[in-house]
Amino acid sequence: MEMWFTEKQTENVGITCKTEKTLYMETTQYQEIALIQTLQFGRMLVLDGTVQTTENDEFIYHEMITHVPLFTHPFPKNILVVGGGDGGAVREIVKHPSVQKVTLVEIDGKVIEVSKNFLPTISCALENPKVEVLVEDGIQYVKKHKNKFDVILIDSTDPIGAAVGLFSKEFYKAIYESLKEDGLFVAQTESPFFNKELISKVYQDIKIIFPITKLYLCAIPTYPSGFWSFTMGSKKYDPLKIDENKIINIDTKYYTREIHKSAFSLPKFVKDLLK
Ligand code: SAM
């Protein structure tokens, strides 16, 4: 008998994948965690029924949430990741030679454990000596640490449960304070097709706080609508004014020098969301 997994992405649309088996399932204090073996995408991490990452397309999200900000900052040394317990963002960050320390603050320790056990190609840098892994609420952590980080990444789930506060104006103010005087941050900000209001609100909230605010896009097959946005708030450095020659060669499959800037070229309907 064939087995299929469906994520209901909105009231009217979903994504369906043929599966071999469910490798792991547990409900923690924060969410239901499932690890599913699919035919098309390899192993898939699902939280509360929502696809987080898959072995075959994770590189797009993880390269774009990391290399765009890290190559915008001229010398990123101290990096904070909020969420991101699968470790994919951390794996990309440690490819940057200037990085001295990465702090990962994930609220659900089980996500880290399951990723280490079932997703070794994604979680492989979590044991890197430059990486400190903390299991706590990223909102409280950011509030407690001022003037500390060069780059902060918000690698969160959708704005439900513990992640709601990660999309608030108060949190963006706390991020501003937690960054050094020339720091910058990027948050994953959902689908331009299905989350228009959220994208508009987040952009305006960040724009009030940060002198440079920019949204960029990429294509991710397993995320709702296949089309994904990230929003950057920066105190000093503009991602479009960097010297492309300073983008060193690192091992990537999606991110390139050309994509660094072209990802900020927005379709008209997305530009309209930012007015
Ligand atoms: N890259 C994937 C994506 O965009 O869907 C997944 C990112 S990662 C799995 C998201 C993580 O954020 C989850 O493991 C979740 O536990 C964590 N998270 C949610 N709220 C959080 C909070 N307040 N503080 C720290 N981590 C949080």
Side-chain angles (χ1 to χ4, degrees):
M1 194 184 73
E2 285 185 356
M3 290 184 296
W4 295 79
F5 162 76
T6 296
E7 174 191 337
K8 193 175 152 209
Q9 298 173 328
T10 74
E11 283 306 307
N12 306 311
V13 73
I15 182 173
T16 301
C17 307
K18 200 174 187 180
T19 67
E20 255 171 46
K21 59 180 165 183
T22 299
L23 299 165
Y24 179 91
M25 200 151 189
E26 183 182 344
T27 301
T28 70
Q29 177 187 352
Y30 298 104
Q31 55 216 342
E32 181 198 82
I33 305 178
L35 211 296
I36 300 171
Q37 182 73 49
T38 72
L39 277 92
Q40 184 67 46
F41 294 108
R43 291 183 176 182
M44 178 182 266
L45 174 67
V46 180
L47 299 181
D48 284 337
T50 304
V51 178
Q52 300 296 306
T53 198
T54 81
E55 283 179 319
N56 291 353
D57 74 347
E58 57 86 12
F59 67 95
I60 308 170
Y61 176 93
H62 291 129
E63 290 180 17
M64 289 302 280
I65 198 171
T66 55
H67 300 314
V68 176
L70 287 169
F71 280 122
T72 296
H73 194 293
F75 199 70
K77 292 193 291 267
N78 197 8
I79 318 299
L80 171 67
V81 180
V82 174
D86 51 71
V90 168
R91 181 196 63 203
E92 295 304 311
I93 293 167
V94 297
K95 290 179 182 174
H96 288 252
S98 67
V99 168
Q100 294 170 357
K101 174 141 196 223
V102 189
T103 307
L104 177 93
V105 182
E106 160 64 60
I107 205 165
D108 191 343
K110 268 284 165 190
V111 173
I112 299 168
E113 195 184 310
V114 169
S115 301
K116 281 184 174 173
N117 287 339
F118 293 98
L119 302 169
T121 57
I122 301 176
S123 61
C124 51
L126 288 173
E127 304 286 340
N128 184 301
K130 289 182 182 174
V131 179
E132 181 180 22
V133 177
L134 303 171
V135 177
E136 61 176 274
D137 183 353
I139 299 171
Q140 299 311 321
Y141 181 89
V142 167
K143 276 190 199 155
K144 282 186 289 189
H145 293 84
K146 309 238 186 245
N147 195 24
K148 185 169 177 187
F149 298 102
D150 299 301
V151 175
I152 298 178
L153 306 180
I154 314 303
D155 184 2
S156 71
T157 37
D158 300 334
I160 40 170
V164 171
L166 299 175
F167 292 80
S168 71
K169 201 193 279 179
E170 290 63 41
F171 183 58
Y172 302 137
K173 281 186 192 147
I175 287 178
Y176 186 94
E177 310 241 301
S178 195
L179 286 166
K180 290 186 195 153
E181 61 186 16
D182 61 349
L184 57 97
F185 92 103
V186 163
Q188 75 85 2
T189 45
E190 310 279 308
S191 159
F193 281 102
F194 297 149
N195 309 99
K196 291 188 167 68
E197 279 173 24
L198 178 135
I199 287 176
S200 296
K201 182 178 182 311
V202 163
Y203 188 85
Q204 295 310 330
D205 286 349
I206 296 174
K207 206 173 155 199
I208 289 168
I209 302 164
F210 284 83
I212 299 164
T213 305
K214 297 259 185 308
L215 181 134
Y216 61 97
L217 298 169
C218 69
I220 304 177
T222 55
Y223 282 5
S225 81
F227 195 38
W228 211 245
S229 75
F230 300 88
T231 307
M232 178 187 289
S234 175
K235 292 187 179 183
K236 182 171 178 187
Y237 305 114
D238 185 329
L240 295 175
K241 292 193 180 145
I242 61 155
D243 177 357
E244 284 162 58
N245 296 317
K246 296 217 169 110
I247 298 182
I248 54 164
N249 271 334
I250 49 170
D251 179 27
T252 59
K253 288 195 272 184
Y254 188 92
Y255 177 87
T256 63
R257 282 179 181 179
E258 294 74 28
I259 280 184
H260 182 99
K261 288 190 179 170
S262 65
F264 291 89
S265 297
L266 305 178
K268 170 100 172 31
F269 83 96
V270 181
K271 261 191 201 168
D272 288 346
L273 299 177
L274 311 182
K275 278 183 186 159

